[in-house]
Amino acid sequence: MTQLVVHPDRQSFIDGSADFIAELAARAIRERGRFTIALSGGSTPRPIYDRLAAAVTAERIDWSKVQIFFGDERCVPPDDSRSNYRMAREVLLDRVPLLADNIHRIRGEIDPAQAALIYEQELHSLFRTSTFPAFDLICLGMGDNGHTASLFPGTAALREKERWVVPQYVEVMTTWRVTFTAPLINAARDIAFLVEGAGKAETLWRVLEGPYQPDVLPAQLIQPVRGQLHWLVDAAAAARVQAA
Ligand code: 6PG
C-alpha cells in the first residue's frame, strides 16, 4: 500500500513527519518490545529529527527500546560536517536517552567495502535472520535526480539482489558512499520518503506518475514486499502531482 500525505506548509510537514515517526515508534514498542529505525541523511530530515527530540514528541517514546541505524553514509569521519551520523547526533541522538549500544553508525572513516561488510554483520547480529530483515521504519530522502539513500542513477548498487549493504562510488560526486540496498529497504514494515520543497516537484511527479525507469529514477525501486510505503511531503513538493 502506498500513501501520499501532503502537508500544507513546511512547518506542518516537519511536525507531521515527527509525529508520524513517534506514533510508529510507540506502536512497535507496544507490539514487539523495540523500535528499529534507519535514518536518512541530507538536509530535509534535520528539522524533523530536531522536532522528534523536542519534549512534546520525545516524551512519547521509550528511547531505551529504540535501535538507531543509518540507510546510507558518506565516506567521511563521524565528526565531518558532511557526515549523516554527525547531523543526526547533533539534532537528535545527543538529546534523547538512547542507549549508546543501540546507536549503530556506518563507519564512514574506513575503507567503504570494509564498512559495508561490518555493517551487514551488525545487522545480522541484531536481527538474527539470514533473509532480509524487517526494519520497523526506514526513512528515505529523494534527490532531485531521483536518487534515494545512496542508490544513484546508473550505478551497480541498483542491481544488487543479495547484499544488504554495499559500497558505491558515485561518479557525479566523485566520492564513495555506503548504502542499504533496495531489497533490504523493501523488506521493511514501513518506509517513509521525506520530501520537501518546490525543487523536488518535477522529480516527485516523474517518480510517482511517470514511466517506470528505476535506472534513471532509483526512488522507483522502493516498493515494499509486505510493508507500507508513505510519501510525506509538503505542498510545494506535491505541486505537479496535485496539478496532474
Ligand atoms: C544522503 C541521503 C540522500 C538524501 C537526498 C536528499 O546521504 O545525502 O541519504 O539520499 O536523502 O540526497 O537530500 P536533501 O534532503 O538534502 O535534498
Side-chain angles (χ1 to χ4, degrees), residues 24-69:
L24 278 188
R27 191 177 78 201
I29 291 166
R30 219 176 26 253
E31 293 173 3
R32 289 180 292 278
R34 72 176 183 187
F35 179 57
T36 54
I37 179 172
L39 301 178
S40 59
S43 57
T44 302
R46 189 184 177 99
I48 296 168
Y49 300 157
D50 177 65
R51 175 73 179 180
L52 199 53
V56 62
T57 323
E59 66 193 19
R60 293 157 55 190
I61 302 172
D62 177 353
W63 292 95
S64 70
K65 303 272 182 4
V66 177
Q67 298 273 354
I68 300 274
F69 284 84

Side-chain angles (χ1 to χ4, degrees), residues 40-45 72 74 84 141-143 147-149 177 200:
S40 59
S43 57
T44 302
D72 72 324
R74 295 91 180 268
N84 288 338
M142 182 192 73
H147 82 263
T148 189
R177 297 277 188 103
K200 302 282 175 72

Side-chain angles (χ1 to χ4, degrees), residues 198-211:
K200 302 282 175 72
E202 177 75 18
T203 306
L204 183 63
W205 176 66
R206 291 173 62 211
V207 166
L208 292 180
E209 310 211 351

